[in-house]
Amino acid sequence: MKRTALITGASNGIGLELAKVHASKRDNLVLVARNQTKLDELQLELENKYQIGIVIIVKDLAVSNAAQEVFEETQQKGIQVDYLINNAGFGDFGMFYETDWDKESKMIELNITTLTQLTKLYLKEMVKRNHGKIMNVASTAAFQPGPTMAMYYATKAYVLHFSEAIANELKDKNITITALCSGATESGFQAVAAMEESKLVKGKKLPTSKAVAQYGYKAMMKGKTVAIHGFMNRILANSVRFMPRTMVTVITRRVQDKAK
């Protein structure tokens, strides 16, 4: 029996690569993003290559009630979602007192509210069937405060803690929750977050979205709750719990500040 994966933020980066991974496994797809052209191109490419069914939903998930609209559309089309991948999200770079509130409010809506509501809606269906997997794309940013990206780090901390908590609630069911935590990755994220000049990414060779997606897929299929991509990322993410909080914040600021 074919499974269906719903992937948000599927038009580029990790989301696009996750769509390709699932397609290669012959899963049907529901691809959600704002960019109609990119979704159309991806649909044509994957349908021709793998002969799978693909539904595209053009939706701005940073708008209130978008999650409910996506859910209702899949319900109306009789689509059973077996794998929910909450990948859509963005960040912003700069001092909190200088950054734009309109952008940040959309970040909260997308990174937290939409992700949570989609999880709620599709998880209820999975519990009825006693089957399903959910991947919430968090970040290594989830493990510490992030000066100059304060809001983004806070949203990803929410995603991590939320995912761990509901994973525990589901331990007696045939359903798993995976929080995928990657570090800086080669994708369009840096441009959207206006952080190309950050020491975290400038001049660095970053992991590819493809590598992160392949790692995340394997972790989700194994039912791993917290999946941190990259050996050094795992070391760093776990080391912060043994350091004074003020030191962690200072170090994060130094690593992330603008390159001189």
Side-chain angles (χ1 to χ4, degrees):
M1 177 182 173
K2 276 197 172 187
R3 304 293 185 186
T4 298
L6 187 155
I7 305 171
T8 67
S11 60
N12 56 48
I14 295 171
L16 183 149
E17 295 298 338
L18 280 165
K20 291 180 177 179
V21 173
H22 278 275
S24 73
K25 307 299 181 182
R26 301 302 194 274
D27 293 330
N28 293 325
L29 298 172
V30 179
L31 305 178
V32 187
R34 292 180 301 171
N35 193 313
Q36 172 96 49
T37 301
K38 287 186 177 181
L39 288 179
D40 287 341
E41 290 172 353
L42 183 59
Q43 180 182 23
L44 184 63
E45 174 192 345
L46 298 181
E47 282 182 338
N48 287 340
K49 188 172 183 179
Y50 298 109
Q51 288 75 55
I52 58 173
I54 300 178
V55 172
I56 63 172
I57 299 177
V58 180
K59 188 75 64 177
D60 183 354
L61 295 176
V63 174
S64 179
N65 211 43
Q68 184 68 41
E69 292 171 1
V70 169
F71 178 73
E72 288 175 359
E73 185 163 343
T74 57
Q75 290 289 96
Q76 288 165 5
K77 291 178 177 176
I79 299 171
Q80 175 180 300
V81 172
D82 303 287
Y83 308 122
L84 170 64
I85 300 176
N86 285 307
N87 165 75
F90 70 90
D92 196 17
F93 184 77
M95 299 297 187
F96 178 69
Y97 59 85
E98 295 177 331
T99 47
D100 179 66
W101 172 248
D102 286 341
K103 186 175 183 179
E104 288 169 333
S105 64
K106 289 178 181 177
M107 190 195 310
I108 293 171
E109 188 72 34
L110 179 59
N111 294 12
I112 294 179
T113 305
T114 296
L115 176 146
T116 306
Q117 190 175 9
L118 284 171
T119 301
K120 169 79 81 173
L121 292 166
Y122 287 104
L123 182 57
K124 285 185 175 183
E125 298 298 307
M126 291 177 181
V127 169
K128 289 177 186 176
R129 301 191 303 266
N130 195 35
H131 179 273
K133 291 183 179 296
I134 296 175
M135 180 197 296
N136 291 326
V137 177
S139 167
T140 53
F143 295 92
Q144 65 279 312
T148 69
M149 292 189 75
M151 291 280 286
Y152 175 74
Y153 274 58
T155 65
K156 291 305 182 179
Y158 171 88
V159 173
L160 175 62
H161 295 168
F162 167 68
S163 300
E164 289 181 292
I166 59 174
N168 175 270
E169 294 175 2
L170 296 164
K171 64 183 181 180
D172 62 341
K173 301 188 184 300
N174 189 35
I175 301 164
T176 60
I177 311 291
T178 298
L180 174 60
C181 302
S182 64
T185 304
E186 191 180 287
S187 68
F189 175 87
Q190 289 79 23
V192 174
M195 62 178 297
E196 295 100 325
E197 296 302 311
S198 166
K199 286 185 283 188
L200 188 64
V201 299
K202 188 173 184 179
K204 300 288 197 313
K205 183 172 175 55
L206 303 177
T208 64
S209 295
K210 181 178 180 179
V212 173
Q214 290 174 337
Y215 172 81
Y217 175 83
K218 290 176 183 176
M220 181 181 74
M221 298 310 291
K222 290 177 181 176
K224 193 169 185 177
T225 302
V226 180
I228 304 172
H229 178 261
F231 176 74
M232 283 306 300
N233 285 333
R234 290 192 287 274
I235 295 294
L236 293 170
N238 286 293
S239 68
V240 298
R241 66 180 76 177
F242 304 110
M243 299 167 62
R245 299 293 292 172
T246 51
M247 184 183 296
V248 170
T249 308
V250 168
I251 292 172
T252 306
R253 172 72 182 275
R254 284 178 182 169
V255 169
Q256 197 159 264
D257 245 336
K258 286 188 177 181
K260 295 180 179 179

